[in-house]
Amino acid sequence: MKNAAKNAAEPVVSGQLRLSARQICKSFGAAQVLFDVPIDLYAGEVHALLGENGAGKSTLVKILSGYHAPDSGEIVLDGSPVSFDSSEDGEARGIILIHQELNLADQLTVEENIFLGREMTRGWFLDKAAMRDEAARLLAGLQCDIDPCTRIRDLPVSDRQMVEIAKALSKQADILILDEPTAVLTGREVDILFDQIRRLRERGVAILYISHKLDEIKAIADRVTVLRDGSHITTQAVAGLEKDDMARLMVGRDIAQMFPDQIADPSAPVVLSVRNLSVPGQVYDAGFDLRRGEVLGFAGIVGAGRTALMEAIIGLRPRSSGAILRDGQPVVIDNLRDAGRCGIAYLTKDRKGSGLLLNMEMRPNLTLLALDRFGRFLLNRKAEDAALEKAIAAFDIRAADRTTKVGDFSGGNQQKLLLAKVMECNPDIVIIDEPTRGIDIGTKSQIYHFIGDLTAQGKSVILLSSEMTEMLGLSDRIIVMAAGRITGILDGEDRTEHQIMRHATGISDNQGVSVHG
Amino acid sequence: MGNSGRSAGRTAAGRFIDFKAMGPFMALVALFVLGALINDAFLSSGNLSNIFTRSAFIGIIAVGATFVITAGGIDLSVGSMAAFISGAMIVVMNTLIATLGAGVETVLLGIAVSVVLGVAAGAINGLVTTRGKIEAFIVTLGTMGIYRSLVTYMADGGTLSLDFAIRDTYRPLYYGDILGIPVPVVVFFAVAVGGYVLLNMTPFGRKCFAIGSNEQVARYSAIHVDRIKTLTYVIQGLCVSIATIIYVPRLGSASSSTGVLWELEAIAAVIIGGTMLKGGYGRIWGTVIGAIMLTTIGNILNLTDVISNYLNGAVQGLIIIVAVLLQRGDWRRKKN
Ligand SMILES: Nc1ncnc2c1ncn2[C@@H]1O[C@H](COP(=O)(O)OP(=O)(O)OP(=O)(O)O)[C@@H](O)[C@H]1O
Ligand SMILES: [Mg+2]
């Protein structure tokens, strides 16, 4: 990705002005989230939109594409003012938005989803063969090896995102807006997506691109607009900007130290041991030790079985063999309650699907996992409110007001709430799966420091992450998995990207290392 | 700031009168005004007490249904279950008269049988749904047929009548009053208060909401999803049993046509009250008002010649659809 950055140094903005928004304002209830925001999109440019969680990026692009109506302000498309009644209206004018959240019908197939609402027909009947061929062609263009007849619910998230992208591409956009398309993609898929974006740029499509990954912005974008707390901060060429500059513009201050100092004591007692754990078809004979106060990273490519291993440990997935020892004593963990009793908590990577109740407010979400602590027979509202108060302060959760549905929160605030929810049951061991998906750089740093605080208090953390910097920056030791097996345990100087990739792709020859340490 | 028109009802201004929450209540008030205008007799204490007493059956069952629906389930078997339990109670009490006599003991044993059967029937619905991983709709459609045919079988195709010897002992449970308030109304109120406390103020209720709104999230929050769901059906069964206990002395008989369509009226009461059919949000007071509304409609039609009494079902149907449309209108506005 690094060398691709050169491409961005082309002359900025050569095409004609396609879409121009002026003084866009938007409030939800009493909370104003956009203040007089302007933005211009030119044909043939990739325009990045940057900002912290909750800065209003998604809201802005939803307004541009007709999904929300602005409270005031003007949108000009090709020289004439427009006002869309709906997102269909926007799409009819060639403005296509890929939403931050996936918008696919779970029970339908890939092909049915791609052509949802604009099915190909022959006479009165659906032309399934034609749609299947076209879907296969689109997916092949994305080098995506999915059968168009697969149901969406059977696909991993990254493939779902690729389907979403295929769907958007099939709509022949003039103006394509991508809201954090890469949050759930792997490196290879990101490269493929970028190839497509470059091709569209050459065809004169105007592209608005939102991401929290500053590397990506450097690699793909020509210009960048920065929002902070709903206000426009700057729009400038990417060429002259370093990642630190972008971070500073977003956050409004320097980020002094991204990661906490590592302090794990290598001779601390072992608090959790897993021995010979297998999950049929997913994990084979896995074992490891976790020490008090350490961050133990689990690295590996998608499908390596890390999540399956963790879910098996906490009783969410049936295991065919294996023993778990807590402080040296064997324990039986058959469900999450047992895990909770052993002081183990799990933070899911799927915060919308299995983490938070999106249609509810903050309070019931926060206390759900630790509900028993808030009253045996009657729930103690006062205690709940106090806990909420504390969590909002401790995790710096920023929400317009307490009655906002959690589903309307920005991604970063959802993630902080999820973290608060898990910590509410005061676990000694926290298993954290992808803690910073779709999270801005400032909040990331905050979350890293929360994790640092946990270990400083003597709690232990198991970290699963596909972000290499995060894995290297936080972990005291790193266990690498490939194809369901533990292939390496990296300690001290060995914790390098190179070593991780070597073990993760199975290039190393020492298969099935024994547990030590 | 500056957009109070757009999203009123969600903000500070909307909190004084929460239209969504107050909707069913205001509709009920409107119905009462209408009733009073149509016929002076409507507001007589005799008529009002009649309305509340009659709404108690459906109302009590609907309180149970609020739990099931809030947790994302549905129970279609309640009408048949009521018929079956009535039949069983009558058979048991008639048999017991020979040994125990026509005293309070016999009635108490009949009541005990009712409670046991209600809880068991609910547990069956719940366990088959959760253990068998079958849609609640299908399971309760099946048990609906089973309970209905069981009562037909017990009555041998005819009618089971409560022995006249015991009717006088049992009578007060329907016709009696406490401080001037009819017993069924008192029971209805008690069940509603209990239901409210359980649904809104206890961990159990919170878990029902969580399961109904996203089962996966509930599972990842260390909630025993299957256990809680089963319990909602047990509560439903218990409510059916309570309703039956006060229903039996009213007619003193049970047949295959007892309780027909009660399941639909109960679900209608729940939905009119603002509980979401797809789960995740439930309101006991809404349900209570929904049940009273349904009875009031029938009552008003009885008191007027403008619309035929035979159109009772049509008017009820219309009200249900309008109630749901109003709820729907709310989220459309919010989205844009
Ligand atoms: N439908 C809604 N109702 C109420 N508040 C909302 C709604 N949508 C967004 N908000 C609020 O508006 C603010 C901006 O949200 P937005 O989703 O635009 O942020 P974002 O910049 O896209 O953040 P992220 O990087 O986390 O995706 C947030 O405070 C959010 O809580
Ligand atoms: Mg966003």
Side-chain angles (χ1 to χ4, degrees), chain A residues 204-364:
Chain A
V205 175
I207 294 159
L208 185 56
Y209 184 89
I210 301 179
S211 175
H212 288 295
K213 301 181 179 169
L214 302 179
D215 288 325
E216 292 181 0
I217 309 282
K218 286 235 51 142
I220 193 82
D222 304 306
R223 292 197 302 158
V224 56
T225 289
V226 180
L227 296 183
R228 193 193 305 151
D229 296 332
S231 295
H232 177 263
I233 299 298
T234 179
T235 298
Q236 49 183 277
V238 169
L241 283 174
E242 283 311 312
K243 283 200 295 180
D244 286 347
D245 302 327
M246 292 192 232
R248 193 176 320 111
L249 286 169
M250 269 168 64
V251 186
R253 59 184 157 80
D254 278 314
I255 295 173
Q257 195 189 4
M258 194 70 188
F259 294 99
D261 295 322
Q262 283 169 18
I263 43 151
D265 168 11
S267 62
V270 170
V271 289
L272 179 77
S273 308
V274 173
R275 296 278 176 266
N276 308 102
L277 192 145
S278 296
V279 177
Q282 286 168 314
V283 180
Y284 305 96
D285 206 23
F288 64 89
D289 285 332
L290 174 70
R291 293 186 176 287
R292 190 182 142 85
E294 86 170 332
V295 177
L296 178 59
F298 271 78
I301 54 177
V302 175
R306 295 172 298 163
T307 299
L309 170 60
M310 295 309 151
E311 294 196 343
I313 292 174
I314 53 171
L316 278 175
R317 224 176 254 251
R319 42 180 186 256
S320 56
S321 70
I324 298 165
L325 295 98
R326 180 81 172 83
D327 292 329
Q329 302 299 316
V331 287
V332 179
I333 299 179
D334 285 332
N335 53 46
L336 260 185
R337 270 183 179 252
D338 295 343
R341 232 167 275 135
C342 296
I344 307 174
Y346 175 65
L347 192 140
T348 170
K349 67 177 162 189
D350 183 6
R351 65 173 169 253
K352 288 175 194 274
S354 47
L356 296 172
L357 299 169
L358 299 180
N359 62 345
M360 294 204 180
E361 22 188 280
M362 257 194 285
R363 184 179 53 192

Side-chain angles (χ1 to χ4, degrees), chain A residues 483-511:
Chain A
R485 288 176 203 284
I486 290 180
T487 52
I489 297 179
L490 309 174
D491 211 342
E493 298 296 300
D494 277 349
R495 293 172 306 148
T496 61
E497 178 160 359
H498 175 72
Q499 283 293 337
I500 291 179
M501 288 320 290
R502 222 166 67 89
H503 288 95
T505 50
I507 302 171
S508 68
D509 33 25
N510 54 330
Q511 291 270 321

Side-chain angles (χ1 to χ4, degrees), chain A residues 28-29 33 51-60 62 68 100 179-180 210 212 227 398-400 404 408-413 438 440, chain B residues 10 334:
Chain A
F28 292 106
V33 297
E52 289 182 281
N53 295 120
K57 306 179 294 296
S58 298
T59 307
L60 178 61
K62 281 179 185 167
H68 283 322
Q100 184 167 4
D179 195 348
E180 294 192 40
I210 301 179
H212 288 295
L227 296 183
R398 292 177 215 168
T404 307
D408 291 335
F409 278 24
S410 73
N413 284 307
D440 73 61
Chain B
R10 298 202 68 219
K334 214 170 64 196

Side-chain angles (χ1 to χ4, degrees), chain A residues 29 67 69 311 316 335-337 353-357 359-360 364 367 369 375 377-379 381 384 405 421, chain B residues 3 6-7 11 197 200-203 206-207 209-210 213-214 216-217 219-222 224 280 334-336:
Chain A
Y67 189 85
E311 294 196 343
L316 278 175
N335 53 46
L336 260 185
R337 270 183 179 252
S354 47
L356 296 172
L357 299 169
N359 62 345
M360 294 204 180
T367 56
L369 183 58
F377 182 63
L378 289 186
L379 280 176
R381 286 273 162 117
E384 278 192 289
K405 299 218 162 89
K421 168 185 169 181
Chain B
N3 78 329
R6 236 190 145 75
S7 33
T11 53
V197 169
N200 292 289
M201 296 166 71
T202 68
R206 183 68 65 76
K207 289 172 186 175
F209 277 82
S213 94
N214 188 333
Q216 176 90 339
V217 172
R219 194 159 280 135
Y220 275 73
S221 302
H224 288 306
K334 214 170 64 196
K335 202 164 177 184
N336 204 351

Side-chain angles (χ1 to χ4, degrees), chain B residues 274-323:
Chain B
T275 297
M276 291 211 279
L277 189 55
K278 69 179 164 65
Y281 183 72
R283 269 210 319 249
I284 296 286
W285 288 121
T287 298
V288 170
I289 288 171
I292 297 174
M293 263 173 82
L294 287 177
T295 323
T296 310
I297 295 166
N299 183 269
I300 291 177
L301 293 184
N302 269 334
L303 294 176
T304 173
D305 300 328
V306 183
I307 305 176
S308 160
N309 197 22
Y310 294 134
L311 284 175
N312 188 358
V315 177
Q316 285 191 353
L318 210 63
I319 299 244
I320 295 165
I321 293 172
V322 169

